[in-house]
Amino acid sequence: MIKKKISINDIARSLGVSKTLVSLVINNKSDIHGISKITQQKVWDKIKEMNYKPNLMARNLRLGRSNTIGLIVSDISNPFYSRMARHIEDLAEKKGYNLIICSTDEKIDKEIALIKMLKNRQVDGLIISSSQKNISEFNTLLAENYPLVLVDRCIPKLKTNYVTVDNTKGAYEAVEHLIKQGYERIAAFAISPVHVSTINDRIQGYLKALKDHKLNYGNAYLREIPFDNVKAAVKKEFKKLIEGKNKIQALFAINNNIATACMEAINENRIKVPHDLALVCFDDVDLFKLTSPTITAVAQPIDEICENALKFLFAEISSKGAAEKKKITLATKLIIRRSSVL
Amino acid sequence: MIKKKISINDIARSLGVSKTLVSLVINNKSDIHGISKITQQKVWDKIKEMNYKPNLMARNLRLGRSNTIGLIVSDISNPFYSRMARHIEDLAEKKGYNLIICSTDEKIDKEIALIKMLKNRQVDGLIISSSQKNISEFNTLLAENYPLVLVDRCIPKLKTNYVTVDNTKGAYEAVEHLIKQGYERIAAFAISPVHVSTINDRIQGYLKALKDHKLNYGNAYLREIPFDNVKAAVKKEFKKLIEGKNKIQALFAINNNIATACMEAINENRIKVPHDLALVCFDDVDLFKLTSPTITAVAQPIDEICENALKFLFAEISSKGAAEKKKITLATKLIIRRSSVL
DNA sequence: GTGAAAGCGCTAACAG
DNA sequence: CTGTTAGCGCTTTCAC
């Protein structure tokens, strides 16, 4: 059995003092309360001797906080989110906060359940890359002044903090780059749910680039890949698109997972990139510079995203949700590699 | 300001009943206490009406648990660990547990501090891929019957649960594969700290394979890359090893990060793989089948690792640390790709 | 300089 | 069937 943990009471009793005194010492408030150095030392000695550790759950209950922040993303094993998680972890730790990480698999209900659960756990603030279509859950959070910042995916009409990148522009630049290389029939593989801001914005960027450059086929080459069946769906659609008279010349993958699946489809079909088909992708992943060929990608400033998100979140936390809501959109960077340059 | 949260007391008062009653209803114990259906319904209605959410921190303090498990790894953005985290998250969630994820950057002191912090937070159990050299911290945990399972990296002499893979054999097979392909001067890039069981075992596997096949240069081609400077160090060592008369013919990268760095070094030096140099790697990553060339890798059964780890951990939790300590070593699988086959 | 007492929100033993 | 009471471990106001 786990040994009975020793509490502040045990320290107090064995020292013949009150637990108030011990608490004051522990929390470095003994000086302002004028507690003698001698007593202070005695307390510290006893704490060490008995190997006392404060119970943070009790402290937090009393203080009405948890020193925990919740991070909700679609899938923590996606390298984009795991890099984000890592950076957030580091920044949070500096302020004494820990991170509870939750994945939704793009399931709206699961996301809502997770938000509720984290609130019930008294998490001090939430960082969410949301799959939500409906904003009512967030309106509730806002009405409660719950510290919240949306990252990656945002909901502009919502009066809350967010930090994202210019997805439309990033996609536009990627597709424009393809056009300038002479490619005309450019397909795009989006991922469901398409209502998510990042995905939708990237689609808009794609469509706008086509239009601005007089490629008038609209969304004829736009495909939506279901989140839970990426590989199979990509393969199937890919096969269709590379056949026939109007077969595509280039492909825009809307995120790193789609790009990876595209590369597999490309290899299976023995397509030569960029000779037979060019590829660009939104999201950069370390290994994209080692694939064959290396993959042109739209890189996001992950560190900056996290730094801003936490700055906003801590402002909310310290103001109890009364901070001015800030919205920031960072720039992406197109990294041109071999998959799009003949 | 955050609105005053409503508590079980508010429900009880507004219903003119005791909070005991409300608590019983909430916890589905009303039937065994014979509380009338009518009263039950009234409670539920009021809960909905007032939008009451139980404060889990208070409940957990009372119950002496947190429904949280701590996961400590060297770096959550390493794909091996992020995939592990994801799977653990899913399994834990099914049992109503959440995950606090912490990265150590291989810093022993940080790991110890994190263990203490998580204990103070009353985390119900710990899953650790430890960088520890000294086992005293774990002995303390064991003496306290703290639910613990080591994953990935283990400390065999410790009487605790662990689940790992046969790193020695995995490395042996990888290196033997190289030898059978005719390569003789095979270097290995390990990563510090080398005392970590997985790394050490892989080194032993490498050395044993050399020895068993009469390659008697011992550790002449073994290099240790510092964890916090992988790319630069790999490049530097790589350059040295591919020059001169005894230049190497093959390279064994001890984990996925090292492999990635090796690939970059290979490209920079315009080395042709596998013609000029073969490469095998411990850890498989999705994108390794898309690199140029594709990379031969020792794959670990991540899902199985996690399933066992959680099975052990929950056994500890439910028995309050009195479960029989289990140790399991799973098999790896060598996935042969182009980087090692002429 | 120090202590008593209240209370954070919850559960559970016991009483009736 | 329902309520009283105690207490998880901690902080903090107020009193001496």
Side-chain angles (χ1 to χ4, degrees):
Chain A
M1 301 287 285
I2 293 180
K3 267 188 241 158
K4 173 89 185 55
K5 291 264 309 182
I6 65 153
S7 78
I8 199 172
N9 249 319
D10 301 319
I11 299 290
R13 208 162 28 226
S14 77
L15 230 38
V17 300
S18 76
K19 51 181 184 168
T20 308
L21 174 37
V22 179
S23 173
L24 291 175
V25 172
I26 289 170
N27 294 296
N28 293 316
K29 294 187 177 159
S30 35
D31 279 334
I32 69 172
H33 276 254
I35 288 166
S36 73
K37 291 287 175 203
I38 301 177
T39 316
Q40 289 187 37
Q41 194 53 53
K42 271 198 288 197
V43 171
W44 285 121
D45 289 349
K46 186 58 88 179
I47 283 175
K48 180 154 260 174
E49 179 197 327
M50 301 185 72
N51 192 29
Y52 165 71
K53 306 287 176 204
N55 179 328
L56 295 184
M57 213 156 52
R59 170 183 288 167
N60 288 336
L61 170 62
R62 172 65 229 242
L63 263 26
R65 54 168 171 70
S66 63
N67 275 351
T68 305
I69 74 187
L71 174 65
I72 299 180
V73 297
S74 61
D75 180 4
I76 192 59
S77 69
N78 178 316
F80 175 69
Y81 292 120
S82 71
R83 281 184 54 198
M84 235 176 71
R86 176 59 209 274
H87 202 226
I88 291 177
E89 182 199 331
D90 287 349
L91 295 168
E93 198 216 6
K94 285 191 189 140
K95 302 254 187 184
Y97 281 76
N98 285 111
L99 213 53
I100 292 187
I101 295 176
C102 303
S103 306
T104 65
D105 280 330
E106 306 287 6
K107 294 188 186 118
I108 294 179
D109 293 346
K110 190 168 176 200
E111 182 179 323
I112 292 180
L114 286 170
I115 291 173
K116 291 189 169 147
M117 181 277 295
L118 290 168
K119 276 171 64 181
N120 294 355
R121 269 180 178 273
Q122 312 303 113
V123 152
D124 295 332
L126 251 19
I127 297 179
I128 307 183
S129 169
S130 175
S131 310
Q132 247 21 253
K133 193 174 203 159
N134 189 310
I135 62 171
S136 75
E137 194 59 32
F138 292 118
N139 276 328
T140 308
L141 287 171
L142 291 182
E144 292 167 341
N145 289 311
Y146 207 94
L148 167 70
V149 14
L150 301 181
V151 286
D152 179 36
R153 305 160 175 192
C154 64
I155 305 177
K157 62 184 161 177
L158 211 62
K159 264 197 108 46
T160 189
N161 308 284
Y162 69 70
V163 19
T164 185
V165 301
D166 194 333
N167 285 283
T168 311
K169 191 167 170 217
Y172 187 97
E173 287 172 357
V175 176
E176 184 172 57
H177 160 72
L178 287 172
I179 297 171
K180 287 194 172 159
Q181 299 291 312
Y183 300 102
E184 297 199 329
R185 289 188 299 282
I186 302 169
F189 279 178
I191 194 165
S192 67
V194 140
H195 65 258
V196 156
S197 75
T198 47
I199 302 305
N200 189 48
D201 289 354
R202 291 171 200 174
I203 292 176
Q204 297 313 319
Y206 160 75
L207 292 174
K208 184 161 191 301
L210 297 182
K211 206 170 160 200
D212 285 0
H213 291 84
K214 317 277 183 240
L215 297 172
N216 296 313
Y217 46 79
N219 58 13
Y221 293 120
L222 173 62
R223 296 291 180 276
E224 184 177 337
I225 306 297
F227 175 85
D228 50 13
N229 189 27
V230 168
K231 295 215 167 161
V234 162
K235 279 177 192 169
K236 198 172 139 205
E237 292 299 333
F238 185 82
K239 196 121 195 169
K240 287 193 226 156
L241 286 168
I242 55 167
E243 283 169 352
K245 191 163 142 284
N246 289 319
K247 63 177 180 243
I248 58 169
Q249 300 164 324
L251 184 47
F252 170 49
I254 217 150
N255 76 6
N256 67 62
N257 277 334
I258 297 278
T260 303
C262 288
M263 285 296 288
E264 288 185 25
I266 284 165
N267 287 346
E268 274 183 20
N269 290 279
R270 301 187 193 287
I271 302 293
K272 288 221 166 45
V273 175
H275 300 83
D276 301 339
L277 184 76
L279 177 70
V280 301
C281 152
F282 209 107
D283 278 356
D284 191 25
V285 168
D286 214 22
L287 283 170
F288 283 175
K289 55 170 169 281
L290 296 175
T291 50
S292 170
T294 56
I295 301 176
T296 296
V298 179
Q300 302 194 49
I302 296 187
D303 289 1
E304 239 183 302
I305 293 175
C306 297
E307 279 146 28
N308 281 287
L310 280 176
K311 199 170 68 187
F312 297 170
L313 192 71
F314 286 130
E316 291 289 357
I317 291 175
S318 56
S319 70
K320 297 185 192 297
E324 190 196 344
K325 305 302 177 243
K326 301 212 176 139
K327 302 174 192 296
I328 186 166
T329 302
L330 302 167
T332 57
K333 190 172 169 203
L334 181 66
I335 300 184
I336 296 172
R337 299 204 183 91
R338 311 298 300 275
S339 70
S340 62
V341 183
L342 274 174
Chain B
M1 301 286 285
I2 295 180
K3 266 188 240 157
K4 173 88 184 60
K5 291 264 307 183
I6 66 154
S7 78
I8 199 171
N9 248 318
D10 301 320
I11 299 290
R13 206 162 30 224
S14 76
L15 230 37
V17 300
S18 76
K19 52 180 185 167
T20 308
L21 174 39
V22 179
S23 173
L24 290 175
V25 173
I26 289 170
N27 295 297
N28 292 317
K29 294 186 178 160
S30 36
D31 280 334
I32 68 172
H33 276 254
I35 289 166
S36 75
K37 290 289 176 204
I38 302 179
T39 316
Q40 288 186 37
Q41 195 53 51
K42 271 198 287 198
V43 172
W44 284 120
D45 289 349
K46 186 57 89 178
I47 283 175
K48 180 152 260 175
E49 178 197 328
M50 300 186 73
N51 191 31
Y52 164 71
K53 306 288 176 202
N55 179 328
L56 296 184
M57 214 156 52
R59 170 184 289 167
N60 289 336
L61 171 62
R62 173 63 229 240
L63 262 26
R65 54 170 172 69
S66 63
N67 275 353
T68 306
I69 73 186
L71 174 66
I72 299 180
V73 297
S74 61
D75 180 6
I76 192 59
S77 68
N78 178 317
F80 175 69
Y81 293 120
S82 71
R83 281 184 54 199
M84 236 176 71
R86 177 59 209 274
H87 202 226
I88 292 178
E89 182 200 329
D90 287 347
L91 296 168
E93 197 216 5
K94 284 189 190 143
K95 302 253 188 186
Y97 281 75
N98 285 112
L99 213 53
I100 293 188
I101 296 175
C102 303
S103 306
T104 64
D105 280 328
E106 306 288 6
K107 294 191 185 113
I108 294 178
D109 293 347
K110 190 168 175 198
E111 181 180 323
I112 292 180
L114 286 170
I115 292 173
K116 291 189 170 149
M117 182 277 294
L118 290 169
K119 277 170 64 181
N120 294 355
R121 269 181 178 271
Q122 312 302 113
V123 153
D124 296 331
L126 252 19
I127 297 179
I128 307 184
S129 169
S130 174
S131 310
Q132 248 19 253
K133 193 173 205 160
N134 189 309
I135 62 170
S136 76
E137 195 60 31
F138 292 117
N139 277 327
T140 308
L141 287 171
L142 292 182
E144 291 168 341
N145 290 311
Y146 206 96
L148 167 71
V149 14
L150 301 181
V151 287
D152 178 38
R153 305 162 174 191
C154 65
I155 305 177
K157 61 183 162 177
L158 211 62
K159 264 195 109 46
T160 189
N161 307 283
Y162 68 70
V163 19
T164 184
V165 301
D166 195 333
N167 285 283
T168 312
K169 190 166 170 217
Y172 186 97
E173 288 171 357
V175 175
E176 184 173 55
H177 160 71
L178 287 173
I179 297 170
K180 287 193 173 158
Q181 299 292 309
Y183 300 102
E184 297 198 331
R185 288 187 301 281
I186 303 169
F189 279 179
I191 194 166
S192 68
V194 140
H195 64 258
V196 156
S197 75
T198 48
I199 302 305
N200 189 49
D201 289 354
R202 292 172 200 174
I203 292 175
Q204 297 312 320
Y206 160 75
L207 293 174
K208 184 161 191 304
L210 298 183
K211 206 170 160 199
D212 285 358
H213 292 84
K214 318 277 183 240
L215 296 173
N216 296 313
Y217 46 80
N219 58 13
Y221 294 120
L222 173 62
R223 296 291 179 274
E224 184 179 336
I225 306 297
F227 175 84
D228 51 11
N229 189 26
V230 168
K231 295 216 166 160
V234 161
K235 280 178 191 168
K236 198 172 139 204
E237 292 299 332
F238 185 82
K239 195 121 196 170
K240 288 193 225 156
L241 286 168
I242 55 165
E243 283 169 353
K245 190 162 144 284
N246 290 318
K247 64 176 179 243
I248 59 169
Q249 300 164 325
L251 183 48
F252 170 49
I254 217 151
N255 76 5
N256 67 62
N257 277 333
I258 297 277
T260 303
C262 288
M263 285 296 288
E264 288 185 23
I266 284 166
N267 287 347
E268 273 183 20
N269 291 278
R270 300 185 192 290
I271 302 293
K272 288 219 166 46
V273 175
H275 300 83
D276 302 337
L277 183 76
L279 177 70
V280 300
C281 152
F282 208 107
D283 278 357
D284 191 24
V285 169
D286 215 22
L287 284 170
F288 283 175
K289 55 171 169 281
L290 297 174
T291 49
S292 170
T294 56
I295 301 175
T296 296
V298 179
Q300 302 194 49
I302 295 186
D303 289 1
E304 240 183 302
I305 293 175
C306 297
E307 279 146 28
N308 282 286
L310 280 177
K311 198 170 68 187
F312 297 171
L313 192 70
F314 285 130
E316 291 289 357
I317 290 175
S318 57
S319 69
K320 297 187 191 295
E324 191 196 343
K325 304 300 176 247
K326 300 213 177 139
K327 302 172 191 298
I328 186 166
T329 302
L330 302 166
T332 57
K333 190 172 168 204
L334 181 66
I335 300 183
I336 296 173
R337 300 203 183 91
R338 313 296 300 274
S339 70
S340 62
V341 183
L342 273 173

